């Protein structure tokens, strides 16, 4: 991101005495987002400042002649060239012929805000990009102190604590620290003055500073239009919030930001948008998904303040925080989007009336679980009839059934609610023919109506505790939810009836199932769910052995989480033979039995394996002399495993293994893991295997 010190670091290297002595020629050019090839070539040729007379001569030459002149100048010389602030790899593609590689130690440095520039294969000759990270609190204070008091002086002891507090508020951003230091250097170095500044200082001040604002403005203006909307949408969330990537992308789609491309799922296009923003270092990754992709993301406070201001300026989104802003809000007639973060009481007391609103997002600012409880929200449905997006997860609806008045929101595409006692959804929900995402946080199992099968645009259904979807009452009509992409948590019986229901969501990619059956027979063929990538499968728990198990999983499955299923160890081959499985998590007696014998050639792509609270005692290979086990395994986690006496010997010779994490296991398990570590050292010497043991 802007302000981390990329150019500063490059200049330090460029001007270091050991560097200046090593290279025959050093050249520097600032590329920026808009570049003219001819001007850029002249800048490079004149960058040592000694060719002012040559400058006029160079302007007479065309691009081809300038490229050749640069090439001839660099030929057989050891040169260092810095391309600063590269926004597009195209500049390198057009200039690369001018830089001869005589294999004499010449070097080229790129600085860029965009990871995708650095990772381009045409650039990546010399190794991985060097990413700059925010400064630590100690480093932040040292920089602030240096900029306020100079190289020789130190911060007076009386101001030390206040200086630390101010530096901490800059969140490790060097540019922000420098801007704030410029203010502190001009005010009196008195404890009362600094206290007043520390109390009033927020990142709003920093983002308003010309230096920071110009940099962020530049980044924003360079974005394609669709990415501008996606970035500004971050202002709708709370400051410092780690936002679920799937939730964010569903909102983008509902808002209409995501281009509809024939042959591509909207979620995949939205993910490309997110990765583009991450590549531009405007959005940061909170957590990654175990099967690839981003789980949570966030933006720096500096960018958050910028987005909030820009969204208001462009009348894209209004953000209201607290009762003061709510009560003094002058409601514009055509406000498209409103994000509110306040207590529920303040929200109700404000009596906002914006009938043309298309998006209403409410976040409860009240800490803990003391959320506003409402017995009726019908008035919202009556007022805001043009809503496309409605998120009321910050309000606890004290209702057992969703009000039928919801049918008045005919434009609705995204609906997210919290209702701890809700059990029923009325048939009238099917009148929301545009609804794509339905999310309900309830403590009860929720029953959906038959009419749900008529909602052809429905793509994402998430009900926290569990959802029951019935068959259509009309046996002659078999409707499918062919667009359904994610569904959790579906309660059904793992039998033929359950199998028939699953066939009616043929294109689902992420699915979580709770097995209602307590019988000792499990028969369910899921192999027809050819798009399924992630599956969670659990139940009430099962004591004893399952009498009969017939389970089939789709071959495209990448992630499988089993819990309390009681799958006999002898049936684990059903899972081991899955050709694309990358992540397997077995939790709370997912397996039944004490001996798990790995089949040869099993788990061909498995990278992550987790065992939690399993009663297994012997975990071994079918053929100890074979090396055809776990060829791709990277991470192994053992949690609450107490009885394990044998582990596969092949783990000691698995070259891809990076981490073994052991938590709350017996001493015997730790001994087995230490033996694996010794075997790894014997086989590969000084390996990178990391053993993490938590008691």
């Amino acid at each position: 991101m802007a302000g981390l010190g990329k150019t500063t670091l490059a200049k330090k290297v460029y001007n270091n005495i050991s560097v200046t002595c090593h290279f025959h020629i050093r050249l520097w050019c600032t590329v920026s987002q808009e570049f003219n090839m001819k001007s850029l070539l002249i800048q490079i040729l004149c960058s040592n400042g000694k060719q002012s007379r040559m400058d006029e001569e160079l302007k007479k030459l065309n691009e081809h002649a300038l490229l050749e002149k640069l090439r001839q100048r660099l030929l057989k010389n050891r040169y260092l060239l810095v391309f600063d602030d590269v926004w597009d790899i195209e500049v390198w593609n057009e200039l690369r012929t001018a830089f001869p590689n005589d294999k004499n130690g010449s070097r080229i440095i790129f600085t860029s805000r965009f990871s995708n520039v650095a990772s381009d294969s045409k650039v990546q000759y010399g190794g991985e990009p060097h990413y700059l990270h925010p400064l630590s609190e100690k480093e932040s204070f040292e920089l602030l102190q240096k900029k306020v008091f100079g190289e020789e002086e130190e911060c007076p002891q009386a101001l030390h604590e206040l200086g630390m507090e101010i530096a901490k508020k800059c969140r490790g951003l060097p540019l922000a620290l420098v801007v704030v230091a410029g203010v502190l250097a001009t005010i009196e170095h008195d404890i009362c003055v600094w206290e007043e500044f520390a109390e009033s200082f927020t990142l709003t001040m920093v983002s308003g500073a010309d230096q920071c604002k110009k940099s962020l403005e530049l980044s924003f203006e360079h974005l394609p239009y669709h990415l501008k909307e996606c970035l500004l949408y971050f202002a709708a969330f709370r400051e410092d919030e780690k936002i679920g990537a799937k939730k964010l992308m569903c909102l983008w789609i509902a808002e209409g930001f995501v281009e509809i491309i024939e042959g591509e799922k909207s979620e995949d296009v939205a993910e490309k948008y997110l990765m583009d923003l991450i590549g531009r270092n405007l959005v940061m990754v909170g957590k990654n998904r175990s099967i690839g992709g981003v789980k949570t993301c966030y933006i720096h406070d500096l960018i958050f303040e910028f987005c909030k201001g820009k969204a208001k300026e462009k009348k894209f989104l209004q953000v209201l925080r607290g009762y003061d802003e709510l009560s003094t809000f002058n409601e514009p007639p055509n406000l498209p989007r409103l994000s509110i973060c306040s207590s529920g009481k303040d929200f109700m007391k404000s009596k906002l009336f914006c009938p043309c609103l298309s998006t209403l997002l409410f976040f409860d600012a009240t800490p803990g679980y003391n959320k506003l409880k409402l017995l009726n929200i019908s008035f919202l449905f009556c007022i805001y009839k043009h809503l496309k997006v409605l998120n009321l997860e910050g309000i606890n609806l004290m209702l057992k059934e969703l009000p039928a008045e919801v049918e008045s929101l005919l434009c609705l595409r995204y609906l997210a609610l919290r209702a701890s006692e809700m059990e029923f959804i009325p048939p009238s929900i099917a009148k929301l023919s545009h609804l794509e995402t339905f999310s309900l946080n309830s403590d009860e199992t929720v029953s959906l109506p038959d009419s749900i099968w008529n909602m052809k645009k429905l793509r994402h259904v998430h009900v926290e505790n569990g959802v029951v979807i019935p068959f259509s009452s009309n046996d002659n009509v078999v409707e499918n939810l062919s667009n359904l992409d994610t569904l959790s948590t579906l309660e059904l019986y793992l039998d033929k009836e359950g199998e028939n229901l699953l066939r009616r969501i043929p294109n689902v990619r992420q699915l979580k199932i709770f097995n209602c059956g307590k019988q000792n027979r499990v028969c369910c063929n899921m192999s027809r769910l050819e798009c399924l990538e992630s599956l969670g499968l659990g139940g009430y728990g099962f004591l004893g052995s399952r009498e009969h198990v017939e389970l089939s999983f789709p071959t495209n499955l990448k992630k499988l989480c089993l819990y309390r299923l009681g799958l006999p160890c002898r049936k684990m081959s059903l899972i081991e033979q899955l050709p694309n499985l990358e992540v397997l998590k077995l939790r709370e007696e997912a397996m039944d039995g004490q001996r798990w014998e790995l089949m040869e050639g099993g788990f061909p792509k498995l990278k992550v394996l987790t065992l939690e609270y399993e009663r297994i005692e012997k975990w071994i290979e079918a053929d100890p002399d074979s090396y055809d086990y776990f060829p791709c395994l990277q991470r192994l986690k053992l949690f609450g495993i107490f009885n394990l006496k044998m582990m596969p010997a092949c783990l000691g010779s698995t070259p891809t293994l990076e981490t073994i994490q052991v938590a709350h296991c017996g001493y015997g398990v730790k001994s087995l893991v230490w033996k694996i570590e010794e075997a790894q050292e014997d086989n590969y010497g000084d390996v990178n295997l990391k053993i993490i043991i938590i008691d």
Side-chain angles (χ1 to χ4, degrees):
M1 62 180 293
L4 277 177
K6 298 178 290 295
T7 301
T8 302
L9 178 58
K11 283 181 177 177
K12 290 276 187 183
V13 173
Y14 187 80
N15 294 317
N16 185 276
I17 188 161
S18 62
V19 173
T20 57
C21 295
H22 181 74
F23 292 97
H24 305 133
I25 298 172
R26 293 180 306 125
L27 301 171
W28 182 292
C29 70
T30 302
V31 181
S32 297
Q33 83 279 25
E34 293 182 9
F35 65 90
N36 175 280
M37 190 54 61
K38 184 173 180 178
S39 299
L40 197 60
L41 284 163
I42 293 171
Q43 184 192 157
I44 296 170
L45 286 164
C46 300
S47 64
N48 61 6
K50 297 177 183 179
Q51 287 101 345
S52 55
R53 206 179 304 169
M54 187 191 297
D55 193 5
E56 295 302 317
E57 296 176 13
L58 292 174
K59 287 179 180 178
K60 299 174 185 177
L61 302 177
N62 61 30
E63 288 181 18
H64 185 270
L66 288 168
L67 278 167
E68 185 57 26
K69 195 170 189 70
L70 178 59
R71 184 177 176 279
Q72 289 298 327
R73 186 175 173 196
L74 298 177
L75 204 61
K76 296 182 180 179
N77 281 301
R78 186 187 301 123
Y79 60 86
L80 169 65
L81 178 70
V82 176
F83 282 100
D84 186 38
D85 200 17
V86 179
W87 290 64
D88 195 322
I89 197 60
E90 194 60 32
V91 65
W92 170 247
N93 293 335
E94 293 186 34
L95 286 174
R96 59 188 304 183
T97 57
F99 301 103
N101 183 8
D102 294 323
K103 299 183 179 179
N104 58 1
S106 295
R107 291 290 182 267
I108 297 174
I109 295 175
F110 287 79
T111 75
S112 179
R113 299 179 196 177
F114 311 125
S115 303
N116 48 3
V117 169
S119 61
D120 190 286
S121 59
K122 296 169 185 172
V123 175
Q124 210 175 39
Y125 288 120
E128 293 296 317
H130 176 69
Y131 293 96
L132 295 187
H133 300 285
L135 302 178
S136 67
E137 290 183 13
K138 180 183 177 184
E139 292 167 335
S140 296
F141 176 69
E142 289 173 353
L143 177 59
L144 186 77
Q145 178 180 250
K146 187 184 294 184
K147 292 295 180 182
V148 175
F149 300 100
E151 294 281 352
E152 303 301 323
E153 294 184 38
E154 290 188 0
C155 179
Q157 193 62 37
L159 300 175
H160 193 278
E161 188 174 337
L162 286 167
M164 288 286 288
E165 181 185 336
I166 294 168
K168 186 177 180 180
K169 286 185 177 182
C170 290
R171 305 294 175 90
L173 188 65
L175 183 55
L177 287 157
V178 171
V179 172
V180 172
V183 177
L184 291 175
T186 60
I187 63 176
E188 188 179 353
H189 294 171
D190 176 81
I191 190 166
C192 293
V193 177
W194 277 46
E195 273 182 351
E196 186 179 347
F197 179 82
E199 288 174 7
S200 62
F201 169 59
T202 66
L203 276 167
T204 309
M205 295 173 58
V206 182
S207 63
D210 289 340
Q211 192 177 7
C212 290
K213 192 172 183 180
K214 183 180 177 182
S215 185
L216 290 173
E217 190 78 45
L218 201 60
S219 292
F220 181 77
E221 290 305 321
H222 185 69
L223 289 173
Y225 183 75
H226 62 274
L227 289 186
K228 287 181 180 178
E229 292 180 315
C230 293
L231 180 64
L232 291 183
Y233 209 75
F234 277 87
F237 296 89
R238 289 163 290 193
E239 190 173 353
D240 295 325
E241 181 175 357
K242 300 294 188 294
I243 306 162
K246 282 194 280 187
K247 175 181 179 178
L248 178 66
M249 291 186 286
C250 286
L251 284 164
W252 284 351
I253 293 167
E255 293 283 3
F257 301 158
V258 178
E259 182 184 1
I260 297 173
I261 300 175
E262 189 175 350
E264 287 195 54
K265 287 182 177 286
S266 296
E267 291 80 9
D268 295 339
V269 179
E271 188 172 21
K272 289 177 185 176
Y273 289 6
L274 179 59
M275 296 311 295
D276 198 346
L277 288 171
I278 291 169
R280 294 170 185 266
N281 291 317
L282 292 169
V283 175
M284 292 179 276
V285 177
K287 287 183 179 179
N288 286 303
R289 294 179 64 207
S290 54
I291 56 173
V294 177
K295 189 170 185 177
T296 62
C297 59
Y298 65 102
I299 59 174
H300 193 281
D301 291 357
L302 192 64
I303 298 178
F304 177 78
E305 293 294 341
F306 172 82
C307 288
K308 198 165 73 168
K310 181 66 70 173
K312 183 178 180 181
E313 173 193 321
K314 290 185 171 290
K315 297 180 173 60
F316 171 82
L317 167 75
Q318 184 78 39
V319 181
L320 301 179
R321 301 289 186 259
Y323 184 68
D324 289 344
E325 291 187 12
L326 279 167
S327 59
T328 58
F329 178 51
N330 293 321
E331 301 154 6
N334 297 314
L335 178 68
R337 300 175 186 90
L338 186 60
S339 174
I340 300 170
C341 184
S342 74
S343 71
K345 290 181 180 178
D346 289 344
F347 171 58
M348 297 303 300
K349 196 163 54 173
S350 66
K351 297 181 180 178
L352 288 177
F353 184 75
C354 307
C356 295
L357 207 62
S358 66
T359 295
L360 176 61
L361 306 168
F362 180 81
F363 301 98
D364 195 340
T366 308
Y369 297 95
N370 186 25
K371 297 185 181 298
L372 174 68
K373 297 178 181 179
L374 280 182
L375 293 173
N376 190 1
I377 57 167
S378 299
F379 68 94
L380 285 173
F381 302 149
C382 296
I383 295 172
Y384 303 110
K385 291 187 177 181
H386 299 285
L387 285 176
K388 292 180 181 178
V389 172
L390 178 60
N391 185 342
L392 294 178
E393 290 178 312
I395 298 175
N396 190 3
L397 307 177
M398 304 303 292
L399 302 169
K400 288 187 177 292
E401 183 172 345
L402 186 66
E405 288 86 350
V406 70
E407 68 183 52
S408 63
L409 304 180
L410 296 177
C411 301
L412 203 62
R413 298 178 181 175
Y414 183 101
L415 177 61
L417 305 169
R418 175 189 296 271
S420 57
E421 298 178 3
M422 190 165 288
E423 298 178 24
F424 303 103
I425 305 298
S428 57
I429 195 172
K431 292 186 178 181
L432 305 180
S433 58
H434 297 285
L435 193 67
E436 299 168 346
T437 300
F438 176 66
S439 176
L440 175 59
N441 190 336
S442 174
D443 295 336
E444 307 294 334
T445 297
V446 179
S447 295
L448 295 180
D450 284 355
S451 59
I452 197 79
W453 296 106
N454 297 319
M455 300 179 70
K456 298 303 179 185
K457 292 189 177 181
L458 201 60
R459 302 187 62 80
H460 307 279
V461 175
H462 174 72
V463 179
E464 187 70 25
N465 197 50
V467 60
V468 176
I469 302 180
F471 285 102
S472 173
S473 56
N474 186 349
D475 295 333
N476 297 320
V477 179
V478 181
E479 298 287 351
N480 287 344
L481 292 177
S482 56
N483 283 317
L484 198 66
D485 188 84
T486 60
L487 174 59
S488 67
T489 299
L490 176 62
E491 293 197 2
L492 51 65
Y493 290 90
L494 290 177
D495 56 16
K496 290 299 178 184
E497 185 175 332
E499 183 180 315
N500 289 333
L501 188 143
L502 292 175
R503 288 179 183 177
R504 298 172 69 178
I505 50 172
N507 298 312
V508 68
R509 290 197 289 182
Q510 297 179 42
L511 177 63
K512 190 174 179 182
I513 296 173
F514 184 88
N515 176 30
C516 299
K518 297 182 180 180
Q519 71 277 21
N520 58 9
R521 295 175 62 86
V522 173
C523 302
C524 190
N525 184 354
M526 293 179 252
S527 60
R528 296 188 185 186
L529 300 176
E530 295 178 355
C531 298
L532 191 63
E533 295 179 357
S534 176
L535 173 65
L537 185 57
Y540 288 110
F542 187 78
L543 297 174
S545 298
R546 300 265 184 197
E547 180 183 291
H548 187 66
V549 176
E550 284 186 28
L551 279 175
S552 297
F553 299 103
T555 57
N556 200 45
L557 200 62
K558 293 182 180 179
K559 180 177 180 179
L560 179 61
C561 300
L562 303 179
Y563 60 100
R564 298 199 299 271
L565 189 64
L567 184 67
C569 286
R570 67 180 184 279
K571 291 287 187 177
M572 283 299 294
S573 57
L574 296 170
I575 298 167
E576 294 175 52
Q577 62 192 0
L578 292 173
N580 294 300
L581 193 67
E582 296 178 10
V583 178
L584 175 62
K585 298 182 179 181
L586 303 171
R587 292 175 168 152
E588 298 181 48
E589 299 182 2
M591 294 187 297
D592 176 55
Q594 299 175 342
R595 178 188 173 92
W596 177 15
E597 187 176 285
L598 295 169
M599 63 176 283
E600 194 171 357
F603 296 125
K605 291 188 179 179
L606 194 69
K607 296 177 182 178
V608 179
L609 176 59
T610 297
L611 300 178
E612 293 185 12
Y613 295 112
E614 296 295 339
R615 293 184 293 177
I616 185 173
E617 294 184 9
K618 293 183 179 180
W619 180 23
I620 57 175
E621 309 99 319
D623 182 1
D625 297 324
S626 173
Y627 292 95
D628 198 10
Y629 300 97
F630 296 127
C632 301
L633 190 65
Q634 296 173 359
R635 302 199 303 272
L636 173 64
K637 180 180 178 181
L638 304 173
F639 189 98
I641 307 294
F642 299 102
N643 302 323
L644 194 60
K645 297 179 176 61
M646 295 179 69
M647 287 180 68
C650 62
L651 293 173
S653 57
T654 302
T656 55
L657 194 58
E658 298 171 358
T659 306
I660 300 179
Q661 184 174 343
V662 179
H664 310 297
C665 295
Y667 180 80
V669 175
K670 298 175 191 175
S671 300
L672 292 171
V673 169
W674 288 327
K675 287 181 181 178
I676 292 171
E677 183 181 32
E678 291 173 7
Q680 285 270 337
E681 289 178 357
D682 291 341
N683 286 316
Y684 305 112
D686 187 16
V687 294
N688 294 321
L689 177 62
K690 184 184 292 185
I691 305 294
I692 303 169
I693 296 180
I694 303 170
D695 291 321

